[in-house]
Amino acid sequence: MEYVLLLAIVVIFLVFKDRPIMVLEFKDGDLTKTKGQVPTAFQTACRDIAHKTPFSGRVKVYKTRFATKLDFSNTIPTKVKQRIKNVFPHNVSTSKRGKRA
């Protein structure tokens, strides 16, 4: 009976675990930490944005079923969020909706 409870806890942990494919951390206008395979062009563009308008926060990139999603921390200003979205290279979705056979 205890193993069923343990198995349920493991399954819940695996389902609700935060699993971004990329993480970028900024502190006072500097890119301090990256995690995952960040494209070099995106990384240098984010460094330039952070250098021009200093901010602190975290950007996480998630891979959904059909596209990628950017998740920003609350400390990043709205204009900076839009600039980062504009330089993000993975805007093309892999969905086959709307295509004819």
Side-chain angles (χ1 to χ4, degrees):
M1 189 67 173
E2 294 172 358
Y3 67 90
V4 174
L5 182 64
L6 183 64
L7 182 64
I9 291 172
V10 168
V11 168
I12 289 173
F13 177 74
L14 290 175
V15 169
F16 292 110
K17 183 182 174 194
D18 188 28
R19 294 176 286 193
I21 58 171
M22 283 188 268
V23 178
L24 299 152
E25 289 186 21
F26 297 93
K27 185 169 183 176
D28 299 326
D30 291 327
L31 181 62
T32 58
K33 185 177 176 184
T34 60
K35 188 184 245 185
Q37 294 182 352
V38 183
T40 56
F42 179 60
Q43 188 173 359
T44 56
C46 287
R47 273 196 187 128
D48 291 341
I49 292 169
H51 181 69
K52 290 178 183 174
T53 54
F55 64 93
S56 296
R58 178 181 289 170
V59 179
K60 292 182 181 180
V61 181
Y62 294 97
K63 178 76 174 164
T64 61
R65 187 170 177 189
F66 296 111
T68 53
K69 177 186 162 193
L70 289 161
D71 184 36
F72 299 95
S73 62
N74 293 334
T75 58
I76 299 176
T78 307
K79 290 184 178 183
V80 173
K81 288 179 187 179
Q82 186 59 49
R83 290 183 66 194
I84 291 173
K85 285 179 184 179
N86 290 343
V87 298
F88 187 66
H90 302 291
N91 291 338
V92 180
S93 65
T94 59
S95 173
K96 292 187 178 182
R97 286 180 278 159
K99 293 185 180 179
R100 295 185 178 171

